Amino acid sequence: MKQLYKTVGLCFTSILIVTGCTTISSMHHHSTEKVTVYAVSAQGIGEKLGTVTLEDTSEGLKIQTNLEKIPSGPHGFHVHEYGSCQPVGKDGQVGAALAAGGHFNPNHAEHHGTPMTGHLGDLPLLTADADGNVKETNIAPRLKLADIRGHAIVVHSGGDNYSDTPKPLGGGGSRIACGVI
């Protein structure tokens, strides 16, 4: 009888240990990173405008923006290929955050598009309110934080129509804010 109690006790303890380890494993926090975003111009990197928090979820990369001093209205928003927000000369002119390169596009998508169809760096459009605040939460379903670490996140001056026409890259225009992931 004592052997039976020992066996049952050992089995019960084993179940608790396995269940406990599974629970601890499932409680492990998703990978999260807070990116500081700065104003950018041809003169360089300016004042802090806020943060973008990136978090892996089962639905994709959750993107929470907490930005201010962004001109009101819609803005293109992308992950760019290099982790720099410095200005660079191109075609005889210096451009804001051009060191970030083009849109992050490791899959070589032929065209800019929606977060589901275009470059992997194509993120959902941001809209700043009348006071210049952008407090939005979006999902980039095809991205994970590990994919974009070491790259830049960029806010453009204009909106984004997710097409290469009538203007290339959705018509977002110049880069006005940038942060390195």
Side-chain angles (χ1 to χ4, degrees), residues 19-39:
T19 304
C21 291
T22 303
T23 303
I24 290 169
S25 171
S26 67
M27 287 172 40
H28 183 266
H29 290 96
H30 293 275
S31 187
T32 302
E33 186 155 335
K34 188 175 276 195
V35 179
T36 302
V37 176
Y38 299 91

Side-chain angles (χ1 to χ4, degrees), residues 10-117:
L10 184 58
C11 288
F12 185 69
T13 302
S14 296
I15 290 169
L16 284 176
I17 289 171
V18 170
T19 304
C21 291
T22 303
T23 303
I24 290 169
S25 171
S26 67
M27 287 172 40
H28 183 266
H29 290 96
H30 293 275
S31 187
T32 302
E33 186 155 335
K34 188 175 276 195
V35 179
T36 302
V37 176
Y38 299 91
V40 292
S41 69
Q43 289 71 45
I45 299 170
E47 70 178 309
K48 177 181 174 181
L49 299 177
T51 60
V52 173
T53 303
L54 305 168
E55 179 183 2
D56 286 327
T57 71
S58 59
E59 291 84 33
L61 187 67
K62 182 167 119 178
I63 305 163
Q64 292 180 287
T65 55
N66 186 12
L67 303 172
E68 54 187 32
K69 299 181 183 175
I70 302 290
S72 67
H75 296 277
F77 187 45
H78 308 100
V79 174
H80 282 249
E81 58 190 332
Y82 305 117
S84 177
C85 295
Q86 295 295 324
V88 169
K90 183 178 179 183
D91 301 326
Q93 293 188 321
V94 176
L98 287 183
H103 293 175
F104 177 62
N105 188 19
N107 295 349
H108 307 288
E110 191 173 333
H111 298 288
H112 170 67
T114 72
M116 290 301 294
T117 63

Side-chain angles (χ1 to χ4, degrees), residues 78 103 112 119 122 159-165 167-173:
H78 308 100
H103 293 175
H112 170 67
H119 306 143
D122 293 334
D160 187 339
N161 69 2
Y162 301 116
S163 172
D164 285 323
T165 58
K167 293 183 179 178
L169 301 173

